[in-house]
Amino acid sequence: MLNILRYLKKHVGMAVLILALLCVQAYCDLTLPKYTSDIVDVGIQQSGVERVTPNQMRDTTLEALTLFLSNEDEALLRRAYAIEDGTARLTVSDSATLDRLDQALSMPMVALYQMGQQGMEPSVLIQQSEQVGVDRETFKTQLRTQIETMADQYGAAADTMTSQMAILFVRQEYQALGVDLDALQQTYLLTTGGKMLALTLLMVAAAITAGMLASRVAASVGMELRSQVFRKVVSFGSAEIDRFSTASLITRSTNDIQQIQMVVVMLLRLVLYAPIIGIGGIVRVATTRTGMGWIIGVAVGVLLALIVVLMTVAMPKFKKMQTLIDRVNLVSREILTGLNVIRAFSREEYEEKRFDKANRDLMGTQLFTNRTMSMMMPAMMLIMNGISVLIVWAGAHGVDLGTMQVGDMIAFITYTMQIVMAFLMISVVSIMLPRAGVSAKRIQEVLDTPVSIHDPAPDKNRDESKGDWRGEVCFEDVSFRYPDAQADVLEHISFTARPGETTAIIGSTGSGKSTLLNLIPRFFDVSYGRITIDGVDIRDLSLHKLHNLLGYVPQKGVLFSGTIESNLKFGGADITDAAMTQAAAIAQADDFIQAKPEGYQSPIAQGGSNVSGGQKQRLSIARAIAKQPKVYLFDDSFSALDYKTDAALRRALSQQVKDAAVIIVAQRISTILHAQQIVVLDEGKVAGIGTHEELMASCPTYQEIARSQLSDAELGGAGA
């Protein structure tokens, strides 16, 4: 979780904006149920009459109401209305005054309503108060005592019932004044409906904008992570690549980052929104005064229990899933890469079983997690519907007893569903978050892995210390062992490869030839000793400068998707067309390139799968020649060439590289007979150094290799 939040650090401003939009959305979402309640209670049941305090009433009604009020409330009432032509019109609009008037007038209006049901007009009450011998204050005290007794009789339903009966009295008063109640009701419904529509449009706009911004942030996070992982992997040496494996790095760069991207969207949309709507719903429920708050407690308790059970069951499987995806990618990569070998050995059935096992293991884990998670939605819906039934059952009793209005019950149901949905959103994210946490940890492992091969410190960087590089490579007592290995692969290697000379490295399989060559471009760093170019330790050169001095041809030719031209100019943008065609001619590749309809613009498929092994190797050699480096490194790069092509290539190459050092790893002695220096390796140690003739005379290991490959006539009796 902390890693995911770390990825969002650069987007704090956007996250704050999204939070503000979500607050607007939540406000609209939480306000709509109140308007729905008002439409039912006020618009339908009360014919659009919003308050107990009427907008207008007869002056006799006002005088009758004053008889029920204290002197303070009576003064407030008289200040609130202006009487003109026998009609008292409301002149105040502040909610505090109106709320106080509503509270003061409710019971008096109920009393007048009940009198009206008995045929007694307010004017009769006024006349009674004006009779001779009746003290007005005593009369008012008697009336207040009556309404207090009436309120006690209503009990718990007093507020709701008095309000409803007072509204009935206001409707009668409006009718007496000739007010069109149908028009009043229609106006209220249209006004409230318009407010709901405006809130809905605002909520939709906020939700869409927040979703769009969240998607942009998530996409940016994904792009940044892919870039960081790619840059990090490109900087890895062979040791780091071997530690993670190619298949795992691909999974981390794709599937794992996709998981994080999905969770970032959910974090910004659901995790931020759920608490707002949940807390807001609880606050709104508390203001409904329905007495059903205990239902919320029951719902939350059941939901938390469900979430805990699901997380306990599913969490270990989510952690295992990413490893199984790695396994499927690994097996798939091996099978697709070695498809021809698999067919040649008729191992299709075995490999199918191997892939099927990896696939079924992943499927089994995914089915388990999906089945577990598929239970969540039905369970949530069961809880939601059960809560709705419980609310209707409890609310129906309240409506029947007069302690609750229908609109309040509807609003309570809506708020409860919002609270439940908030927990549902949190539960969905809580299930996905651990899986994303695993992915984030795997990505962070890549980003936090220290790179073993890196540029020197600025004070040691000797890029600019030499203006003219000759390309003399010197091994000074070099030893090397692989990370975590128990023994050295190379021990105390010392020799010098001079410019204008060819240095060949030969030895039995596993003697360390390719490993020795790979130390020069720093695919690995030496464990002991040092390697220098023109007297400068290669560890004191930037990798960019070092690689600019080298032309490397790997044992297995590697081409990239594109064209022949793009592959031959892979060494730099400064390679001209003339240098490219000259390199192709030297590498004996020009003939088959020109034979293609599109020539140098002929497409190369991924991995060079649309050219033969020999053509791929020649193009790899041409790519190194076109760069015109100071040191050529050939890692058994002529093995796929026939003798005729090999001989022609070497003749042409000898003229091109006469000023550069050439280091060749070879299996065939016939390719290195004329090398100025041959280094013989035996189990990682130097068994001999010299020319072919010198080694045939002095090195038993070389003699053994030579006699196993060449006839006596070819050897010319040397060393016999």
Side-chain angles (χ1 to χ4, degrees):
M1 181 65 181
L2 292 177
N3 286 330
I4 296 174
L5 294 177
R6 186 190 308 172
Y7 303 147
L8 285 169
K9 189 175 181 180
K10 292 176 60 178
H11 305 278
V12 172
M14 195 69 76
V16 172
L17 178 58
I18 292 170
L19 179 61
L21 289 169
L22 293 177
C23 288
V24 173
Q25 180 187 349
Y27 171 79
C28 297
D29 207 0
L30 291 167
T31 304
L32 287 172
K34 178 64 172 62
Y35 282 120
T36 304
S37 174
D38 289 344
I39 284 178
V40 174
D41 292 341
V42 179
I44 297 175
Q45 291 183 324
Q46 299 175 189
S47 300
V49 179
E50 299 183 59
R51 284 186 173 273
V52 170
T53 305
N55 293 325
Q56 56 183 320
M57 58 182 162
R58 291 170 292 179
D59 56 354
T60 54
T61 303
L62 187 144
E63 289 298 330
L65 287 171
T66 60
L67 297 174
F68 293 90
L69 302 176
S70 64
N71 293 334
E72 185 181 354
D73 289 341
E74 179 182 349
L76 178 64
L77 179 63
R78 291 188 185 279
R79 286 197 304 270
Y81 284 88
I83 300 175
E84 183 181 353
D85 298 331
T87 303
R89 301 184 186 280
L90 187 65
T91 59
V92 297
S93 58
D94 64 289
S95 58
T97 301
L98 292 174
D99 289 341
R100 184 177 170 186
L101 286 172
D102 285 345
Q103 185 177 5
L105 296 177
S106 292
M107 287 306 298
M109 284 185 174
V110 171
L112 291 178
Y113 175 75
Q114 291 180 344
M115 291 177 184
Q117 296 298 306
Q118 297 171 5
M120 183 184 296
E121 289 293 323
S123 58
V124 175
L125 192 62
I126 297 172
Q127 291 173 2
Q128 290 177 355
S129 69
E130 294 174 349
Q131 288 178 1
V132 179
V134 177
D135 181 64
R136 189 172 188 274
E137 288 301 321
T138 304
F139 187 71
K140 289 175 65 175
T141 302
Q142 292 173 352
L143 291 178
R144 285 200 298 273
T145 302
Q146 289 178 11
I147 62 176
E148 288 173 3
T149 304
M150 191 185 308
D152 291 339
Q153 291 174 351
Y154 291 148
D159 289 342
T160 304
M161 293 185 68
T162 54
S163 176
Q164 291 299 304
M165 292 179 69
I167 293 294
L168 291 175
F169 176 78
V170 174
R171 290 172 60 186
Q172 288 181 353
E173 192 66 19
Y174 283 168
Q175 286 176 330
L177 290 170
V179 175
D180 188 348
L181 290 178
D182 290 338
L184 180 65
Q185 183 181 45
Q186 186 175 15
T187 300
Y188 180 84
L189 291 174
L190 290 175
T191 302
T192 307
K195 292 178 181 178
M196 293 181 71
L197 180 60
L199 281 173
T200 302
L201 293 176
L202 178 61
M203 181 176 68
V204 169
I208 291 174
T209 307
M212 180 187 71
L213 295 178
S215 299
R216 284 184 65 88
V217 170
S220 298
V221 169
M223 180 190 70
E224 291 163 5
L225 281 178
R226 279 189 290 271
S227 298
Q228 291 176 27
V229 171
F230 178 77
R231 286 195 297 268
K232 188 72 175 186
V233 171
V234 169
S235 71
F236 278 171
S238 298
E240 290 80 33
I241 295 291
D242 293 342
R243 170 187 167 186
F244 287 104
S245 84
T246 304
S248 180
L249 288 172
I250 291 173
T251 304
R252 293 169 197 245
S253 302
T254 52
N255 184 272
D256 286 336
I257 292 178
Q258 185 66 27
Q259 292 295 326
I260 292 175
Q261 192 168 326
M262 290 172 57
V263 167
V264 166
V265 173
M266 291 190 170
L267 282 175
L268 295 176
R269 287 292 290 114
L270 300 183
V271 173
L272 289 181
Y273 187 65
I276 298 172
I277 198 72
I279 295 171
I282 292 172
V283 172
R284 293 281 184 162
V285 162
T287 62
T288 57
R289 299 191 302 271
T290 57
M292 295 191 295
W294 60 272
I295 296 177
I296 302 296
V298 172
V300 170
V302 174
L303 287 171
L304 287 175
L306 177 63
I307 292 170
V308 169
V309 170
L310 289 176
M311 290 182 65
T312 303
V313 173
M315 206 64 62
K317 297 296 183 180
F318 277 122
K319 293 180 180 179
K320 183 180 178 182
M321 193 180 298
Q322 297 304 113
T323 305
L324 293 175
I325 292 174
D326 277 353
R327 178 63 183 168
V328 169
N329 283 344
L330 175 64
V331 174
S332 301
R333 180 183 174 87
E334 286 182 344
I335 292 174
L336 293 175
T337 304
L339 196 56
N340 290 337
V341 177
I342 292 169
R343 288 171 178 165
F345 284 86
S346 298
R347 299 288 287 176
E348 292 92 342
E349 185 176 349
Y350 171 79
E351 294 299 332
E352 285 174 5
K353 289 180 179 178
R354 191 161 72 101
F355 178 80
D356 187 60
K357 182 181 185 306
N359 197 21
R360 286 185 178 277
D361 288 344
L362 176 60
M363 181 191 71
T365 303
Q366 288 177 331
L367 282 177
F368 180 86
T369 54
N370 289 339
R371 285 167 181 163
T372 303
M373 297 312 300
S374 66
M375 294 172 58
M376 181 175 68
M377 189 57 68
M380 288 288 184
M381 294 306 298
L382 178 63
I383 293 171
M384 291 173 65
N385 292 329
I387 292 170
S388 298
V389 172
L390 188 59
I391 292 171
V392 171
W393 179 80
H397 285 283
V399 173
D400 183 52
L401 295 172
T403 59
M404 186 188 303
Q405 292 183 275
V406 175
D408 287 338
M409 185 178 71
I410 294 173
F412 188 89
I413 292 174
T414 306
Y415 289 135
T416 304
M417 292 304 103
Q418 288 175 334
I419 294 169
V420 173
M421 287 302 296
F423 275 91
L424 177 60
M425 288 186 283
I426 292 174
S427 65
V428 170
V429 175
S430 66
I431 295 298
M432 296 191 66
L433 198 58
R435 183 177 180 186
V438 173
S439 296
K441 183 178 179 182
R442 284 159 53 86
I443 292 170
Q444 207 59 40
E445 283 178 357
V446 176
L447 297 178
D448 292 341
T449 297
V451 180
S452 58
I453 309 296
H454 49 77
D455 284 336
D459 59 326
K460 290 187 176 181
N461 192 333
R462 300 178 64 181
D463 277 8
E464 307 301 327
S465 61
K466 297 178 72 67
D468 183 25
W469 294 84
R470 296 170 52 246
E472 182 177 274
V473 180
C474 183
F475 279 67
E476 300 178 6
D477 195 30
V478 169
S479 296
F480 171 75
R481 71 172 59 185
Y482 287 105
D484 301 324
Q486 301 298 318
D488 290 340
V489 178
L490 298 172
E491 298 180 44
H492 307 294
I493 307 295
S494 297
F495 69 89
T496 300
R498 299 176 179 81
E501 295 183 359
T502 298
T503 298
I505 301 169
I506 196 168
S508 59
T509 301
S511 59
K513 303 184 297 297
S514 294
T515 301
L516 185 148
L517 196 73
N518 287 338
L519 294 177
I520 300 173
R522 292 189 67 195
F523 296 155
F524 296 96
D525 265 343
V526 299
S527 302
Y528 310 99
R530 69 175 192 154
I531 302 172
T532 64
I533 296 181
D534 292 353
V536 178
D537 193 323
I538 60 174
R539 290 170 294 189
D540 292 340
L541 293 173
S542 70
L543 291 171
H544 177 73
K545 179 63 178 179
L546 173 63
H547 295 156
N548 276 345
L549 296 173
L550 307 177
Y552 175 72
V553 184
Q555 187 172 6
K556 180 181 179 182
V558 176
L559 299 179
F560 301 93
S561 56
T563 62
I564 291 176
E565 180 182 4
S566 68
N567 273 275
L568 295 186
K569 291 184 177 181
F570 195 74
D574 57 337
I575 297 176
T576 63
D577 290 342
M580 174 186 69
T581 54
Q582 182 186 16
I586 293 171
Q588 308 302 304
D590 190 60
D591 290 343
F592 80 80
I593 293 174
Q594 296 294 349
K596 292 180 178 290
E598 299 176 65
Y600 285 88
Q601 299 304 318
S602 300
I604 296 294
Q606 181 180 4
S609 58
N610 59 338
V611 293
S612 68
Q615 291 173 341
K616 187 187 298 185
Q617 204 161 49
R618 279 179 278 173
L619 289 174
S620 296
I621 294 170
R623 179 173 61 200
I625 295 172
K627 187 180 176 183
Q628 297 181 347
K630 295 297 182 180
V631 180
Y632 287 88
L633 305 176
F634 296 100
D635 187 2
D636 197 17
S637 308
F638 307 98
S639 57
L641 305 180
D642 58 81
Y643 283 101
K644 179 181 177 182
T645 304
D646 188 1
L649 191 156
R650 286 179 182 283
R651 281 195 302 271
L653 184 63
S654 63
Q655 298 300 317
Q656 173 69 18
V657 301
K658 57 185 177 181
D659 294 328
V662 179
I663 302 176
I664 300 176
V665 169
Q667 297 284 355
R668 299 196 310 238
I669 283 186
S670 59
T671 63
I672 60 170
L673 284 173
H674 304 291
Q676 284 81 4
Q677 179 178 233
I678 300 173
V679 179
V680 183
L681 293 182
D682 184 23
E683 296 184 357
K685 300 176 183 178
V686 175
I689 298 178
T691 62
H692 170 71
E693 291 76 12
E694 291 170 348
L695 292 171
M696 284 299 298
S698 62
C699 182
T701 302
Y702 186 80
Q703 294 170 9
E704 183 180 346
I705 296 171
R707 287 175 178 143
S708 67
Q709 296 183 15
L710 304 175
S711 64
D712 290 338
E714 291 172 314
L715 290 172

